[in-house]
Amino acid sequence: MQLPILESINLMAVLPVLIIAGWACVLLVFDLLIPRSRKHWTAWLALVGLLGAAVALFFQIGHFARLGSEAAFDGMVTVDGFSIFLQVVFVLTAIVGVLLALDYLPRHGIERGEYYVLLLFTTIGMMIMSMAADLIVVFVALELLSIPLYILSGFAGMRETSEEAALKYFLLGAFASSFLVYGIALTYGGTGTTRLTGIAQAVTSDALNLPLTTVGMGLLLVGLGFKVAAVPFHMWTPDVYQGAPTPVTAFMSVGAKAGGFAALIRVLVTAFPAIASEWGTLIAVIAGLTMLLGNIVAISQSNIKRMLAYSSIAHAGYILLAVAAAQRSENASFAIGAVVFYLLAYALTNLGAFTVAIAVERDDGTGTEIDDFAGLGKTRPWMALAMALFMLSLTGMPISGGLVGKVFVFQAALQAVPGDPLLLAVVIIGVLTSVVSAFYYLKVIMVMYMREGEGKAVLPLALKTVLAATAFGTLVLGIIPGPVFQMAQRAMLK
Amino acid sequence: MIGYILFGLVALVAIVSAVGMLLSTNAIHAALFLVINLICIALFYLGLNAPFLAMVQITVYAGAIMVLFLFVIMLLGAEQVTLKSQLKWQAPLAIVLAVVMIAATFLLFFNVQASGGLSPLAPISEDPRQTETFGSPYAVGEVLFGAYLLPFEMTGVLLLVAMIGAIILTRNEAGGMRDEQRAASNE
């Protein structure tokens, strides 16, 4: 008997995901045959799989520019410009994640092939998250994103900090997931469907079940707010970022955040347009708090990984501001464009900054203090220059992607609801906290150039490649942002 | 009629076992009460024409998960530990919050009743053939491998990841030493 569903599966639309998923399973078996002294083979094989997915994505870009969007798996997922753009970000981040680990893992005595397999699995979770069109898929993708990251945080299990990071991340993450599931249950109870477009039809402003659905939406916000490290749900970030092996931190600070934002935008914009002013207000308030706390607490940090953790909280605040700006449908495409552009700029800059942190880190996991950067300006001039560029970009200085991203975010917020005092206030907070952030970002540059020190760093070819690529990308986004932003704006939901 | 009597009986047993689980101080007794409760829920599923779900409930919850519970309780020797409540303020707070919750639910219910009653969102089919088979293994399979194929497959990957994770985190192959081991070997 032919099930009618088989015709609507549409495997070609999700080809990049299938390539990575299949390759990860194959790699798991291959890894058994690779002798322990040659585990870097697994890394290169993982790269092959990711490049295969990148090629498939490249062909999809043209295809979807013509078509707009396509549903797959009976409407469970929607592949459109938004998801393609984010999938490119995820695959690039995963490639960087492999390259960063290539030398780090053997140097720290934690080299195991499963690292690369888990990296591929969490990448699939992120990719599916960006195309989810059903709350069930959002939930399972979120778990698929999170569980490998819990394991990877504890990958340096013989270090107590790594163990602590994994346990904290797991317990708090499971707690946050339960909020998400409860939110899904209430939304289902209120609307009778888990399909995002179906929810949008059922939630009208005069619906009887509106209180139930609104509470459900709020709980969904809690679950996803945890993933993006927004302020009342940010507690785990500093400890996990500091304790996890640095390549994992780099990967998760970019990938998990972008995944969380992808789901947040899909759920809020697609499913809850009827209560947009409610979630818009809520997110604007969270954005303001997140910027304030992240930037102010980052000032007092002396550890580079912890400092970057608070910086990542702060940047979540800026991105949330653009999400809040998507509350009006006329402004949504510009606001979503600002979000994905900011995510790309943040990804490049942050991966670069963590690459430098990995180069400076010593084999026993020490050397992550900002003081350890002293003297790098003399011993490693090019690396110091790149790090200076990343710090300037995170602050939002000219000729860097960070500035352009911030300008787009603020512009989106200002034109979202003209004359809205709340959004205006949050934009002002955003500008002021950007100024505050200069204090701790510039401190790193000052330590590198002005202070005497050993300036020791290990910079193998893989790290050099990543450093050059991310620095180049940050500059390109800063100097000629036009083409990329046009692409980002076209990356709207369909 | 006989359906209501059965439902009432099973519901009574379910409530009594749930309260028993909460009140028993012995962890083993609590776990056994939970088994009774889970079996009652399986009976509810059976009453709702969902035999497959009922069997899954028994094998997975009343079977596998409870064995795990009992195993952990016995391994930890938790049945002998008499827990003194650390959080004295918790019980009164819980009672207050429960009363508030019940009051809010009733309020909402009567409000909705007053404003014309809740219309069912997804009308359940009146066709008796369909209501009798909607929980059959065939129907569940069709939904699971049809509309929900993608989440189902993703769950498979998720279980694989969990398995890899359990092995990695418990078996330290790479030859690295834990902090405490290193401290011990330094002495």
Side-chain angles (χ1 to χ4, degrees), chain A residues 213-410:
Chain A
T213 321
T214 312
V215 174
M217 184 272 291
L219 290 173
L220 284 169
L221 215 61
V222 174
L224 295 173
F226 175 87
K227 276 293 143 217
V228 304
V231 147
F233 325 111
H234 66 285
M235 297 296 186
W236 56 279
T237 319
D239 289 335
V240 173
Y241 278 27
Q242 191 183 4
T246 317
V248 178
T249 313
F251 178 73
M252 120 175 118
S253 72
V254 172
K257 198 175 283 281
F261 275 111
L264 202 59
I265 287 179
R266 277 228 180 265
V267 170
L268 291 179
V269 175
T270 317
F272 297 106
I275 46 174
S277 62
E278 277 88 351
W279 60 253
T281 312
L282 209 56
I283 290 205
V285 171
I286 294 178
L289 290 175
T290 310
M291 292 173 198
L292 278 175
L293 185 129
N295 280 312
I296 290 173
V297 182
I299 293 175
S300 61
Q301 303 304 320
S302 62
N303 182 298
I304 185 82
K305 285 165 87 176
R306 244 182 137 71
M307 189 274 266
L308 285 172
Y310 280 106
S311 134
S312 109
I313 297 176
H315 284 280
Y318 297 112
I319 305 172
L320 278 172
L321 179 57
V323 176
Q327 57 181 291
R328 274 233 319 225
S329 53
E330 306 92 86
N331 195 42
S333 104
F334 187 84
I336 292 171
V339 170
V340 289
F341 184 90
Y342 200 107
L343 279 173
L344 180 65
Y346 175 74
L348 288 170
T349 314
N350 216 39
L351 288 173
F354 271 112
T355 310
V356 177
I358 288 171
V360 176
E361 189 173 341
R362 283 185 283 271
D363 294 357
D364 54 353
T366 59
T368 57
E369 297 299 311
I370 292 178
D371 292 337
D372 292 308
F373 283 69
L376 279 181
K378 287 204 186 76
T379 54
R380 293 271 179 186
W382 285 105
M383 191 179 87
L385 193 66
M387 185 65 171
L389 173 70
F390 298 138
M391 289 296 123
L392 290 176
S393 176
L394 286 173
T395 321
M397 295 284 189
I399 69 144
S400 65
L403 171 79
V404 184
K406 272 187 183 150
V407 169
F408 283 141
V409 164
F410 293 146

Side-chain angles (χ1 to χ4, degrees), chain B residues 76-168:
Chain B
L76 295 178
E79 78 272 15
Q80 295 148 354
V81 182
T82 49
L83 277 173
K84 278 263 168 62
S85 177
Q86 297 276 325
L87 305 164
K88 285 217 161 51
W89 45 269
Q90 208 177 30
L93 188 69
I95 292 170
V96 170
L97 286 178
V99 169
V100 169
M101 168 109 179
I102 291 169
T105 314
F106 269 92
L107 208 65
L108 193 68
F109 181 74
F110 286 119
N111 266 353
V112 168
Q113 286 294 320
S115 65
L118 207 61
S119 59
L121 288 152
I124 296 162
S125 169
E126 294 298 320
D127 182 4
R129 206 164 30 115
Q130 208 176 337
T131 44
E132 268 163 38
T133 56
F134 89 100
S136 70
Y138 179 84
V140 171
E142 205 177 44
V143 172
L144 208 55
F145 293 99
Y148 289 89
L149 180 64
L150 179 72
F152 180 77
E153 293 296 332
M154 283 163 70
T155 314
V157 175
L158 205 56
L159 290 176
L160 177 67
V161 168
M163 213 157 63
I164 300 172
I167 295 169
I168 286 183

Side-chain angles (χ1 to χ4, degrees), chain A residues 1 3 5 9 28 36 73-74 76-77 109-110 112 114 118 121 128 136-137 140-141 143-144 147-148 151 154-155 157-160 163 189-192 194 208-209, chain B residues 101 108 112 115 117-119 121-122 138 142 145-151 154-155 157-158 160-162 164-165 167-169 171-174 176-180 182:
Chain A
M1 181 188 144
L3 287 171
I5 181 81
I9 283 185
L28 197 59
R36 193 165 295 169
F73 286 99
D74 199 24
M76 279 279 158
V77 293
I110 49 173
R112 300 179 66 171
E114 287 85 355
L118 289 171
F121 278 131
I128 298 179
I136 304 272
V137 176
V140 184
E143 292 302 297
L144 191 53
I147 290 179
I151 303 163
F155 213 75
M158 67 279 188
R159 271 188 227 145
E160 258 172 27
E163 231 167 56
T191 60
T194 54
L208 203 54
N209 296 317
Chain B
M101 168 109 179
L108 193 68
V112 168
S115 65
L118 207 61
S119 59
L121 288 152
Y138 179 84
E142 205 177 44
F145 293 99
Y148 289 89
L149 180 64
L150 179 72
M154 283 163 70
T155 314
V157 175
L158 205 56
L160 177 67
V161 168
I164 300 172
I167 295 169
I168 286 183
L169 292 180
R171 283 193 51 190
N172 202 350
E173 255 181 46
M177 278 192 293
R178 311 182 130 263
D179 284 348
E180 53 261 43
R182 193 177 290 147

